[in-house]
Amino acid sequence: MADSNPKREIPSGLKKMLELDVKQSKEFVEFVNQKYPIETYRSHLKSLEISCHGIPWLVFTIAGLYMTNSSIFINILLGLIIDIVIVAVTKAFTRRRRPAYNVDDQHATFKSVDKFSFPSGHATRAVMLAMLFTFLSPLPALLWLPVIVWSVAVSVSRVVLGRHHILDVLAGVLIGLVESVILGMAWRSEEQAAYIISMFGGEDPWSSA
């Protein structure tokens, strides 16, 4: 009986590159673990993981939008939606498995998509948000360095935690830059954001007259 889901043929050049990526990623994790045992600071790596998780960012953005009606939250939400769509479609298409040494202890994940590794969604999101807060809607200059360091730390932690191969993260960084360009093109002004907000409600029905 023929296999209803035949394995896709991978071009030999791409296959060699992926095999090299797997090898170098594992060697990098082993090197880091020998120098600085990962288990001693794994909780910190997990904190970085949570700090760039999509669900907390969505909750934070929607809450900020509800409480302030500020245009920045409309644009952050737009960026998150762009990121979710691009990463989900890319993962579903590439279907690359996570590293064999990954410990599956992530929280609030969608197994149908999050079991795949390419690209790193945390890297795309971290870079997109860093670009948003330093170029598209800049925070005070004093905060630029912490935002950039956070973005880099999140990206590197994905390899150290064993969640992704190096190529997954590099692709995530590149895609995050592309997402920021798309977000810049789709950026909503104060007036446009106010119009969008007005479409989803007026007076709070629980407020007093």
Side-chain angles (χ1 to χ4, degrees), residues 44-60 80 83-84 87 91 106-109 114 120-130 133 147 149-158 161 164 172 176 179:
H44 298 294
L45 297 176
K46 291 277 291 176
S47 296
L48 277 172
E49 180 174 68
I50 294 170
S51 75
C52 197
H53 195 293
I55 292 178
W57 271 98
L58 284 170
V59 171
F60 162 76
L80 293 173
D83 176 67
I84 290 169
V87 171
K91 283 190 174 187
Q106 295 188 82
H107 301 292
T109 59
D114 286 322
S120 166
H122 276 72
T124 64
R125 194 174 306 115
V127 171
M128 183 272 292
L129 289 169
F133 291 126
V147 168
V149 169
W150 169 78
S151 175
V152 172
V154 167
S155 299
V156 174
S157 74
R158 305 312 289 161
L161 266 174
H164 295 278
E179 289 177 351

mmCIF file of all heavy atoms in Angstrom, residues 44-60 80 83-84 87 91 106-109 114 120-130 133 147 149-158 161 164 172 176 179:
data_model
loop_
_atom_site.group_PDB
_atom_site.id
_atom_site.type_symbol
_atom_site.label_atom_id
_atom_site.label_comp_id
_atom_site.label_asym_id
_atom_site.label_seq_id
_atom_site.Cartn_x
_atom_site.Cartn_y
_atom_site.Cartn_z
ATOM 1 N N HIS A 44 16.957 31.228 34.017
ATOM 2 C CA HIS A 44 17.090 32.562 33.423
ATOM 3 C C HIS A 44 16.796 32.517 31.924
ATOM 4 O O HIS A 44 16.182 33.439 31.370
ATOM 5 C CB HIS A 44 18.489 33.107 33.674
ATOM 6 C CG HIS A 44 18.824 33.275 35.121
ATOM 7 N ND1 HIS A 44 18.190 34.182 35.938
ATOM 8 C CD2 HIS A 44 19.729 32.633 35.912
ATOM 9 C CE1 HIS A 44 18.685 34.102 37.162
ATOM 10 N NE2 HIS A 44 19.620 33.165 37.177
ATOM 11 N N LEU A 45 17.247 31.436 31.279
ATOM 12 C CA LEU A 45 16.952 31.263 29.853
ATOM 13 C C LEU A 45 15.449 31.102 29.639
ATOM 14 O O LEU A 45 14.893 31.623 28.670
ATOM 15 C CB LEU A 45 17.696 30.042 29.302
ATOM 16 C CG LEU A 45 19.224 30.092 29.331
ATOM 17 C CD1 LEU A 45 19.819 28.770 28.833
ATOM 18 C CD2 LEU A 45 19.746 31.251 28.484
ATOM 19 N N LYS A 46 14.805 30.402 30.569
ATOM 20 C CA LYS A 46 13.355 30.235 30.487
ATOM 21 C C LYS A 46 12.638 31.575 30.678
ATOM 22 O O LYS A 46 11.611 31.839 30.054
ATOM 23 C CB LYS A 46 12.877 29.227 31.544
ATOM 24 C CG LYS A 46 13.305 27.802 31.284
ATOM 25 C CD LYS A 46 12.392 27.107 30.311
ATOM 26 C CE LYS A 46 11.033 26.870 30.932
ATOM 27 N NZ LYS A 46 10.081 26.266 29.972
ATOM 28 N N SER A 47 13.202 32.423 31.548
ATOM 29 C CA SER A 47 12.616 33.744 31.744
ATOM 30 C C SER A 47 12.703 34.573 30.468
ATOM 31 O O SER A 47 11.762 35.292 30.113
ATOM 32 C CB SER A 47 13.336 34.476 32.891
ATOM 33 O OG SER A 47 13.137 33.797 34.114
ATOM 34 N N LEU A 48 13.828 34.471 29.766
ATOM 35 C CA LEU A 48 13.972 35.143 28.477
ATOM 36 C C LEU A 48 12.941 34.609 27.487
ATOM 37 O O LEU A 48 12.347 35.368 26.720
ATOM 38 C CB LEU A 48 15.382 34.925 27.918
ATOM 39 C CG LEU A 48 16.486 35.847 28.423
ATOM 40 C CD1 LEU A 48 17.839 35.360 27.913
ATOM 41 C CD2 LEU A 48 16.239 37.290 27.988
ATOM 42 N N GLU A 49 12.736 33.294 27.522
ATOM 43 C CA GLU A 49 11.759 32.667 26.636
ATOM 44 C C GLU A 49 10.360 33.233 26.882
ATOM 45 O O GLU A 49 9.653 33.620 25.943
ATOM 46 C CB GLU A 49 11.762 31.158 26.869
ATOM 47 C CG GLU A 49 10.793 30.378 26.011
ATOM 48 C CD GLU A 49 10.971 28.877 26.191
ATOM 49 O OE1 GLU A 49 10.666 28.361 27.294
ATOM 50 O OE2 GLU A 49 11.421 28.217 25.247
ATOM 51 N N ILE A 50 9.978 33.325 28.145
ATOM 52 C CA ILE A 50 8.658 33.838 28.499
ATOM 53 C C ILE A 50 8.536 35.317 28.131
ATOM 54 O O ILE A 50 7.477 35.783 27.688
ATOM 55 C CB ILE A 50 8.382 33.618 30.003
ATOM 56 C CG1 ILE A 50 8.280 32.114 30.298
ATOM 57 C CG2 ILE A 50 7.096 34.332 30.431
ATOM 58 C CD1 ILE A 50 8.252 31.781 31.785
ATOM 59 N N SER A 51 9.644 36.064 28.282
ATOM 60 C CA SER A 51 9.603 37.507 28.024
ATOM 61 C C SER A 51 9.307 37.837 26.567
ATOM 62 O O SER A 51 8.896 38.963 26.263
ATOM 63 C CB SER A 51 10.934 38.155 28.416
ATOM 64 O OG SER A 51 11.957 37.871 27.466
ATOM 65 N N CYS A 52 9.520 36.855 25.680
ATOM 66 C CA CYS A 52 9.240 37.104 24.260
ATOM 67 C C CYS A 52 8.173 36.161 23.721
ATOM 68 O O CYS A 52 8.012 36.012 22.504
ATOM 69 C CB CYS A 52 10.537 36.964 23.453
ATOM 70 S SG CYS A 52 10.472 37.709 21.802
ATOM 71 N N HIS A 53 7.447 35.517 24.619
ATOM 72 C CA HIS A 53 6.367 34.618 24.197
ATOM 73 C C HIS A 53 5.233 35.445 23.598
ATOM 74 O O HIS A 53 4.909 36.528 24.078
ATOM 75 C CB HIS A 53 5.872 33.819 25.403
ATOM 76 C CG HIS A 53 5.042 32.634 25.043
ATOM 77 N ND1 HIS A 53 3.797 32.743 24.457
ATOM 78 C CD2 HIS A 53 5.274 31.300 25.166
ATOM 79 C CE1 HIS A 53 3.295 31.545 24.260
ATOM 80 N NE2 HIS A 53 4.170 30.647 24.672
ATOM 81 N N GLY A 54 4.609 34.928 22.564
ATOM 82 C CA GLY A 54 3.567 35.668 21.864
ATOM 83 C C GLY A 54 2.346 35.976 22.706
ATOM 84 O O GLY A 54 1.773 37.076 22.611
ATOM 85 N N ILE A 55 1.924 35.041 23.555
ATOM 86 C CA ILE A 55 0.693 35.233 24.324
ATOM 87 C C ILE A 55 0.816 36.381 25.337
ATOM 88 O O ILE A 55 -0.062 37.257 25.385
ATOM 89 C CB ILE A 55 0.262 33.920 25.004
ATOM 90 C CG1 ILE A 55 -0.184 32.911 23.936
ATOM 91 C CG2 ILE A 55 -0.858 34.168 26.015
ATOM 92 C CD1 ILE A 55 -0.588 31.559 24.471
ATOM 93 N N PRO A 56 1.884 36.448 26.168
ATOM 94 C CA PRO A 56 2.008 37.613 27.056
ATOM 95 C C PRO A 56 2.055 38.935 26.299
ATOM 96 O O PRO A 56 1.474 39.930 26.752
ATOM 97 C CB PRO A 56 3.328 37.347 27.796
ATOM 98 C CG PRO A 56 3.495 35.868 27.755
ATOM 99 C CD PRO A 56 2.928 35.445 26.440
ATOM 100 N N TRP A 57 2.711 38.960 25.155
ATOM 101 C CA TRP A 57 2.768 40.194 24.377
ATOM 102 C C TRP A 57 1.404 40.582 23.843
ATOM 103 O O TRP A 57 1.042 41.762 23.811
ATOM 104 C CB TRP A 57 3.781 40.054 23.240
ATOM 105 C CG TRP A 57 5.156 40.456 23.668
ATOM 106 C CD1 TRP A 57 6.171 39.624 24.072
ATOM 107 C CD2 TRP A 57 5.664 41.785 23.790
ATOM 108 N NE1 TRP A 57 7.274 40.354 24.428
ATOM 109 C CE2 TRP A 57 6.997 41.690 24.271
ATOM 110 C CE3 TRP A 57 5.128 43.055 23.559
ATOM 111 C CZ2 TRP A 57 7.791 42.809 24.498
ATOM 112 C CZ3 TRP A 57 5.915 44.167 23.793
ATOM 113 C CH2 TRP A 57 7.226 44.046 24.250
ATOM 114 N N LEU A 58 0.616 39.593 23.415
ATOM 115 C CA LEU A 58 -0.741 39.891 22.953
ATOM 116 C C LEU A 58 -1.602 40.414 24.096
ATOM 117 O O LEU A 58 -2.355 41.384 23.924
ATOM 118 C CB LEU A 58 -1.373 38.632 22.343
ATOM 119 C CG LEU A 58 -0.899 38.240 20.934
ATOM 120 C CD1 LEU A 58 -1.414 36.853 20.569
ATOM 121 C CD2 LEU A 58 -1.365 39.261 19.907
ATOM 122 N N VAL A 59 -1.499 39.778 25.262
ATOM 123 C CA VAL A 59 -2.276 40.218 26.430
ATOM 124 C C VAL A 59 -1.873 41.632 26.823
ATOM 125 O O VAL A 59 -2.730 42.497 27.067
ATOM 126 C CB VAL A 59 -2.075 39.248 27.616
ATOM 127 C CG1 VAL A 59 -2.697 39.814 28.893
ATOM 128 C CG2 VAL A 59 -2.672 37.880 27.294
ATOM 129 N N PHE A 60 -0.561 41.883 26.893
ATOM 130 C CA PHE A 60 -0.055 43.208 27.244
ATOM 131 C C PHE A 60 -0.542 44.266 26.258
ATOM 132 O O PHE A 60 -0.978 45.358 26.650
ATOM 133 C CB PHE A 60 1.480 43.166 27.262
ATOM 134 C CG PHE A 60 2.130 44.523 27.182
ATOM 135 C CD1 PHE A 60 2.162 45.358 28.292
ATOM 136 C CD2 PHE A 60 2.716 44.951 26.002
ATOM 137 C CE1 PHE A 60 2.763 46.612 28.214
ATOM 138 C CE2 PHE A 60 3.316 46.201 25.921
ATOM 139 C CZ PHE A 60 3.338 47.038 27.029
ATOM 140 N N LEU A 80 2.569 42.095 15.802
ATOM 141 C CA LEU A 80 2.434 40.730 16.334
ATOM 142 C C LEU A 80 1.634 39.845 15.386
ATOM 143 O O LEU A 80 1.961 38.664 15.198
ATOM 144 C CB LEU A 80 1.762 40.776 17.710
ATOM 145 C CG LEU A 80 2.577 41.426 18.837
ATOM 146 C CD1 LEU A 80 1.728 41.548 20.100
ATOM 147 C CD2 LEU A 80 3.842 40.631 19.130
ATOM 148 N N ASP A 83 3.786 38.939 12.489
ATOM 149 C CA ASP A 83 4.759 37.930 12.930
ATOM 150 C C ASP A 83 4.119 36.549 13.035
ATOM 151 O O ASP A 83 4.675 35.552 12.545
ATOM 152 C CB ASP A 83 5.343 38.348 14.278
ATOM 153 C CG ASP A 83 6.294 37.313 14.849
ATOM 154 O OD1 ASP A 83 7.365 37.107 14.257
ATOM 155 O OD2 ASP A 83 5.962 36.708 15.888
ATOM 156 N N ILE A 84 2.957 36.479 13.663
ATOM 157 C CA ILE A 84 2.284 35.189 13.849
ATOM 158 C C ILE A 84 1.972 34.536 12.510
ATOM 159 O O ILE A 84 2.213 33.333 12.309
ATOM 160 C CB ILE A 84 0.993 35.380 14.674
ATOM 161 C CG1 ILE A 84 1.340 35.716 16.128
ATOM 162 C CG2 ILE A 84 0.117 34.125 14.617
ATOM 163 C CD1 ILE A 84 0.152 36.181 16.953
ATOM 164 N N VAL A 87 5.369 33.479 10.583
ATOM 165 C CA VAL A 87 6.042 32.351 11.231
ATOM 166 C C VAL A 87 5.216 31.074 11.102
ATOM 167 O O VAL A 87 5.753 29.998 10.796
ATOM 168 C CB VAL A 87 6.329 32.668 12.710
ATOM 169 C CG1 VAL A 87 6.831 31.418 13.447
ATOM 170 C CG2 VAL A 87 7.370 33.778 12.819
ATOM 171 N N LYS A 91 6.604 27.852 9.143
ATOM 172 C CA LYS A 91 6.810 26.595 9.870
ATOM 173 C C LYS A 91 5.999 25.460 9.261
ATOM 174 O O LYS A 91 6.482 24.326 9.130
ATOM 175 C CB LYS A 91 6.449 26.767 11.347
ATOM 176 C CG LYS A 91 7.497 27.498 12.161
ATOM 177 C CD LYS A 91 7.196 27.431 13.650
ATOM 178 C CE LYS A 91 8.334 28.036 14.458
ATOM 179 N NZ LYS A 91 8.169 27.855 15.904
ATOM 180 N N GLN A 106 8.096 23.854 27.116
ATOM 181 C CA GLN A 106 7.575 25.182 26.841
ATOM 182 C C GLN A 106 6.122 25.278 27.327
ATOM 183 O O GLN A 106 5.401 24.285 27.352
ATOM 184 C CB GLN A 106 7.628 25.484 25.343
ATOM 185 C CG GLN A 106 9.029 25.548 24.772
ATOM 186 C CD GLN A 106 9.034 26.027 23.336
ATOM 187 O OE1 GLN A 106 8.984 27.208 23.070
ATOM 188 N NE2 GLN A 106 9.096 25.091 22.413
ATOM 189 N N HIS A 107 5.721 26.481 27.664
ATOM 190 C CA HIS A 107 4.366 26.713 28.162
ATOM 191 C C HIS A 107 3.515 27.382 27.087
ATOM 192 O O HIS A 107 4.008 28.157 26.274
ATOM 193 C CB HIS A 107 4.394 27.596 29.412
ATOM 194 C CG HIS A 107 5.194 27.023 30.535
ATOM 195 N ND1 HIS A 107 4.805 25.892 31.212
ATOM 196 C CD2 HIS A 107 6.382 27.404 31.093
ATOM 197 C CE1 HIS A 107 5.694 25.605 32.155
ATOM 198 N NE2 HIS A 107 6.660 26.508 32.092
ATOM 199 N N ALA A 108 2.216 27.068 27.108
ATOM 200 C CA ALA A 108 1.233 27.725 26.235
ATOM 201 C C ALA A 108 1.660 27.694 24.773
ATOM 202 O O ALA A 108 1.791 28.722 24.115
ATOM 203 C CB ALA A 108 1.010 29.171 26.686
ATOM 204 N N THR A 109 1.887 26.487 24.273
ATOM 205 C CA THR A 109 2.273 26.338 22.869
ATOM 206 C C THR A 109 1.178 25.616 22.099
ATOM 207 O O THR A 109 0.351 24.908 22.675
ATOM 208 C CB THR A 109 3.582 25.538 22.736
ATOM 209 O OG1 THR A 109 3.408 24.235 23.322
ATOM 210 C CG2 THR A 109 4.733 26.241 23.422
ATOM 211 N N ASP A 114 4.086 24.606 16.846
ATOM 212 C CA ASP A 114 5.279 24.827 17.667
ATOM 213 C C ASP A 114 6.189 23.614 17.763
ATOM 214 O O ASP A 114 7.276 23.712 18.339
ATOM 215 C CB ASP A 114 4.865 25.282 19.071
ATOM 216 C CG ASP A 114 4.376 26.729 19.069
ATOM 217 O OD1 ASP A 114 4.946 27.533 18.336
ATOM 218 O OD2 ASP A 114 3.420 27.026 19.797
ATOM 219 N N SER A 120 12.854 30.453 14.011
ATOM 220 C CA SER A 120 12.601 30.702 15.427
ATOM 221 C C SER A 120 11.622 31.866 15.568
ATOM 222 O O SER A 120 11.945 33.002 15.224
ATOM 223 C CB SER A 120 13.909 31.039 16.153
ATOM 224 O OG SER A 120 13.635 31.597 17.425
ATOM 225 N N GLY A 121 10.426 31.580 16.078
ATOM 226 C CA GLY A 121 9.431 32.620 16.269
ATOM 227 C C GLY A 121 9.845 33.631 17.329
ATOM 228 O O GLY A 121 9.517 34.815 17.239
ATOM 229 N N HIS A 122 10.589 33.174 18.343
ATOM 230 C CA HIS A 122 11.072 34.105 19.357
ATOM 231 C C HIS A 122 12.069 35.085 18.741
ATOM 232 O O HIS A 122 12.068 36.273 19.084
ATOM 233 C CB HIS A 122 11.724 33.343 20.517
ATOM 234 C CG HIS A 122 10.759 32.851 21.538
ATOM 235 N ND1 HIS A 122 9.899 31.807 21.283
ATOM 236 C CD2 HIS A 122 10.510 33.253 22.822
ATOM 237 C CE1 HIS A 122 9.168 31.579 22.380
ATOM 238 N NE2 HIS A 122 9.512 32.445 23.316
ATOM 239 N N ALA A 123 12.924 34.595 17.842
ATOM 240 C CA ALA A 123 13.905 35.480 17.203
ATOM 241 C C ALA A 123 13.214 36.488 16.291
ATOM 242 O O ALA A 123 13.558 37.678 16.295
ATOM 243 C CB ALA A 123 14.919 34.655 16.412
ATOM 244 N N THR A 124 12.233 36.040 15.504
ATOM 245 C CA THR A 124 11.524 36.984 14.627
ATOM 246 C C THR A 124 10.842 38.061 15.451
ATOM 247 O O THR A 124 10.916 39.242 15.134
ATOM 248 C CB THR A 124 10.461 36.266 13.765
ATOM 249 O OG1 THR A 124 9.446 35.700 14.601
ATOM 250 C CG2 THR A 124 11.062 35.174 12.903
ATOM 251 N N ARG A 125 10.193 37.650 16.538
ATOM 252 C CA ARG A 125 9.444 38.594 17.366
ATOM 253 C C ARG A 125 10.382 39.549 18.105
ATOM 254 O O ARG A 125 10.114 40.757 18.179
ATOM 255 C CB ARG A 125 8.578 37.825 18.369
ATOM 256 C CG ARG A 125 7.518 38.650 19.062
ATOM 257 C CD ARG A 125 6.627 37.748 19.920
ATOM 258 N NE ARG A 125 6.077 36.663 19.128
ATOM 259 C CZ ARG A 125 6.370 35.375 19.320
ATOM 260 N NH1 ARG A 125 7.205 35.006 20.278
ATOM 261 N NH2 ARG A 125 5.837 34.448 18.551
ATOM 262 N N ALA A 126 11.482 39.024 18.637
ATOM 263 C CA ALA A 126 12.424 39.861 19.380
ATOM 264 C C ALA A 126 13.025 40.934 18.482
ATOM 265 O O ALA A 126 13.143 42.101 18.877
ATOM 266 C CB ALA A 126 13.533 38.999 19.992
ATOM 267 N N VAL A 127 13.391 40.543 17.270
ATOM 268 C CA VAL A 127 13.998 41.504 16.340
ATOM 269 C C VAL A 127 12.960 42.519 15.861
ATOM 270 O O VAL A 127 13.235 43.728 15.798
ATOM 271 C CB VAL A 127 14.633 40.773 15.141
ATOM 272 C CG1 VAL A 127 15.060 41.755 14.061
ATOM 273 C CG2 VAL A 127 15.834 39.955 15.601
ATOM 274 N N MET A 128 11.761 42.043 15.537
ATOM 275 C CA MET A 128 10.702 42.957 15.090
ATOM 276 C C MET A 128 10.385 43.988 16.166
ATOM 277 O O MET A 128 10.270 45.193 15.894
ATOM 278 C CB MET A 128 9.449 42.160 14.729
ATOM 279 C CG MET A 128 8.282 42.982 14.182
ATOM 280 S SD MET A 128 7.185 43.613 15.501
ATOM 281 C CE MET A 128 6.456 42.087 16.107
ATOM 282 N N LEU A 129 10.276 43.542 17.425
ATOM 283 C CA LEU A 129 9.969 44.457 18.525
ATOM 284 C C LEU A 129 11.125 45.417 18.790
ATOM 285 O O LEU A 129 10.913 46.599 19.080
ATOM 286 C CB LEU A 129 9.638 43.658 19.785
ATOM 287 C CG LEU A 129 8.295 42.918 19.768
ATOM 288 C CD1 LEU A 129 8.194 41.957 20.949
ATOM 289 C CD2 LEU A 129 7.127 43.900 19.781
ATOM 290 N N ALA A 130 12.355 44.912 18.680
ATOM 291 C CA ALA A 130 13.518 45.783 18.871
ATOM 292 C C ALA A 130 13.548 46.882 17.819
ATOM 293 O O ALA A 130 13.846 48.045 18.126
ATOM 294 C CB ALA A 130 14.805 44.958 18.829
ATOM 295 N N PHE A 133 10.835 49.473 18.653
ATOM 296 C CA PHE A 133 11.111 50.371 19.777
ATOM 297 C C PHE A 133 12.371 51.218 19.599
ATOM 298 O O PHE A 133 12.660 52.068 20.451
ATOM 299 C CB PHE A 133 11.199 49.564 21.072
ATOM 300 C CG PHE A 133 9.881 48.992 21.522
ATOM 301 C CD1 PHE A 133 9.747 47.632 21.784
ATOM 302 C CD2 PHE A 133 8.775 49.813 21.670
ATOM 303 C CE1 PHE A 133 8.532 47.103 22.201
ATOM 304 C CE2 PHE A 133 7.556 49.295 22.090
ATOM 305 C CZ PHE A 133 7.430 47.935 22.354
ATOM 306 N N VAL A 147 17.088 47.250 25.023
ATOM 307 C CA VAL A 147 16.164 46.583 24.100
ATOM 308 C C VAL A 147 16.943 45.709 23.105
ATOM 309 O O VAL A 147 16.561 44.560 22.845
ATOM 310 C CB VAL A 147 15.308 47.624 23.334
ATOM 311 C CG1 VAL A 147 14.566 46.962 22.176
ATOM 312 C CG2 VAL A 147 14.324 48.293 24.281
ATOM 313 N N VAL A 149 20.036 44.491 23.507
ATOM 314 C CA VAL A 149 20.655 43.385 24.256
ATOM 315 C C VAL A 149 19.627 42.305 24.542
ATOM 316 O O VAL A 149 19.914 41.099 24.420
ATOM 317 C CB VAL A 149 21.288 43.903 25.570
ATOM 318 C CG1 VAL A 149 21.679 42.739 26.476
ATOM 319 C CG2 VAL A 149 22.503 44.768 25.264
ATOM 320 N N TRP A 150 18.417 42.706 24.934
ATOM 321 C CA TRP A 150 17.334 41.729 25.177
ATOM 322 C C TRP A 150 17.043 40.933 23.916
ATOM 323 O O TRP A 150 16.911 39.696 23.958
ATOM 324 C CB TRP A 150 16.080 42.465 25.640
ATOM 325 C CG TRP A 150 14.841 41.622 25.665
ATOM 326 C CD1 TRP A 150 14.491 40.698 26.615
ATOM 327 C CD2 TRP A 150 13.803 41.599 24.682
ATOM 328 N NE1 TRP A 150 13.290 40.110 26.284
ATOM 329 C CE2 TRP A 150 12.839 40.640 25.108
ATOM 330 C CE3 TRP A 150 13.583 42.295 23.499
ATOM 331 C CZ2 TRP A 150 11.685 40.365 24.372
ATOM 332 C CZ3 TRP A 150 12.436 42.027 22.761
ATOM 333 C CH2 TRP A 150 11.508 41.076 23.197
ATOM 334 N N SER A 151 16.960 41.603 22.787
ATOM 335 C CA SER A 151 16.660 40.937 21.514
ATOM 336 C C SER A 151 17.739 39.920 21.165
ATOM 337 O O SER A 151 17.438 38.783 20.766
ATOM 338 C CB SER A 151 16.537 41.982 20.406
ATOM 339 O OG SER A 151 16.369 41.375 19.155
ATOM 340 N N VAL A 152 19.005 40.310 21.323
ATOM 341 C CA VAL A 152 20.116 39.399 21.035
ATOM 342 C C VAL A 152 20.114 38.224 22.021
ATOM 343 O O VAL A 152 20.303 37.066 21.625
ATOM 344 C CB VAL A 152 21.471 40.145 21.095
ATOM 345 C CG1 VAL A 152 22.641 39.168 20.987
ATOM 346 C CG2 VAL A 152 21.557 41.187 19.982
ATOM 347 N N ALA A 153 19.891 38.525 23.299
ATOM 348 C CA ALA A 153 19.883 37.476 24.324
ATOM 349 C C ALA A 153 18.781 36.452 24.066
ATOM 350 O O ALA A 153 19.000 35.242 24.203
ATOM 351 C CB ALA A 153 19.717 38.104 25.709
ATOM 352 N N VAL A 154 17.595 36.933 23.702
ATOM 353 C CA VAL A 154 16.496 36.021 23.381
ATOM 354 C C VAL A 154 16.890 35.109 22.218
ATOM 355 O O VAL A 154 16.687 33.885 22.269
ATOM 356 C CB VAL A 154 15.207 36.802 23.032
ATOM 357 C CG1 VAL A 154 14.169 35.871 22.396
ATOM 358 C CG2 VAL A 154 14.619 37.459 24.279
ATOM 359 N N SER A 155 17.465 35.681 21.184
ATOM 360 C CA SER A 155 17.824 34.910 19.990
ATOM 361 C C SER A 155 18.873 33.851 20.308
ATOM 362 O O SER A 155 18.733 32.679 19.921
ATOM 363 C CB SER A 155 18.342 35.860 18.898
ATOM 364 O OG SER A 155 17.342 36.789 18.524
ATOM 365 N N VAL A 156 19.933 34.234 21.027
ATOM 366 C CA VAL A 156 20.993 33.278 21.366
ATOM 367 C C VAL A 156 20.468 32.192 22.298
ATOM 368 O O VAL A 156 20.828 31.012 22.170
ATOM 369 C CB VAL A 156 22.186 34.006 22.015
ATOM 370 C CG1 VAL A 156 23.233 33.004 22.515
ATOM 371 C CG2 VAL A 156 22.829 34.975 21.017
ATOM 372 N N SER A 157 19.588 32.577 23.212
ATOM 373 C CA SER A 157 19.055 31.605 24.176
ATOM 374 C C SER A 157 18.278 30.482 23.508
ATOM 375 O O SER A 157 18.182 29.387 24.056
ATOM 376 C CB SER A 157 18.160 32.310 25.202
ATOM 377 O OG SER A 157 16.906 32.688 24.637
ATOM 378 N N ARG A 158 17.741 30.737 22.315
ATOM 379 C CA ARG A 158 16.967 29.701 21.624
ATOM 380 C C ARG A 158 17.847 28.518 21.230
ATOM 381 O O ARG A 158 17.408 27.373 21.235
ATOM 382 C CB ARG A 158 16.283 30.285 20.370
ATOM 383 C CG ARG A 158 15.423 31.488 20.606
ATOM 384 C CD ARG A 158 14.478 31.291 21.763
ATOM 385 N NE ARG A 158 13.413 30.340 21.444
ATOM 386 C CZ ARG A 158 12.680 29.714 22.349
ATOM 387 N NH1 ARG A 158 12.909 29.895 23.628
ATOM 388 N NH2 ARG A 158 11.724 28.906 21.969
ATOM 389 N N LEU A 161 19.161 26.835 24.737
ATOM 390 C CA LEU A 161 18.105 26.014 25.357
ATOM 391 C C LEU A 161 17.832 24.734 24.584
ATOM 392 O O LEU A 161 17.163 23.835 25.090
ATOM 393 C CB LEU A 161 16.803 26.827 25.448
ATOM 394 C CG LEU A 161 16.518 27.581 26.741
ATOM 395 C CD1 LEU A 161 15.261 28.431 26.594
ATOM 396 C CD2 LEU A 161 16.360 26.627 27.920
ATOM 397 N N HIS A 164 16.152 25.483 19.120
ATOM 398 C CA HIS A 164 16.368 25.677 17.691
ATOM 399 C C HIS A 164 17.808 25.401 17.292
ATOM 400 O O HIS A 164 18.719 25.440 18.125
ATOM 401 C CB HIS A 164 16.036 27.127 17.298
ATOM 402 C CG HIS A 164 14.608 27.494 17.463
ATOM 403 N ND1 HIS A 164 13.643 27.188 16.524
ATOM 404 C CD2 HIS A 164 13.965 28.151 18.468
ATOM 405 C CE1 HIS A 164 12.467 27.638 16.947
ATOM 406 N NE2 HIS A 164 12.634 28.222 18.121
ATOM 407 N N GLY A 172 15.342 33.541 11.602
ATOM 408 C CA GLY A 172 14.399 34.304 12.401
ATOM 409 C C GLY A 172 14.788 35.772 12.499
ATOM 410 O O GLY A 172 13.938 36.663 12.409
ATOM 411 N N GLY A 176 12.600 38.719 11.025
ATOM 412 C CA GLY A 176 12.198 39.798 11.922
ATOM 413 C C GLY A 176 12.493 41.172 11.331
ATOM 414 O O GLY A 176 11.691 42.108 11.470
ATOM 415 N N GLU A 179 9.911 41.731 8.686
ATOM 416 C CA GLU A 179 8.633 42.071 9.330
ATOM 417 C C GLU A 179 8.591 43.533 9.746
ATOM 418 O O GLU A 179 7.550 44.193 9.629
ATOM 419 C CB GLU A 179 8.414 41.180 10.557
ATOM 420 C CG GLU A 179 8.096 39.731 10.234
ATOM 421 C CD GLU A 179 7.966 38.869 11.468
ATOM 422 O OE1 GLU A 179 8.287 39.353 12.575
ATOM 423 O OE2 GLU A 179 7.549 37.709 11.343
#
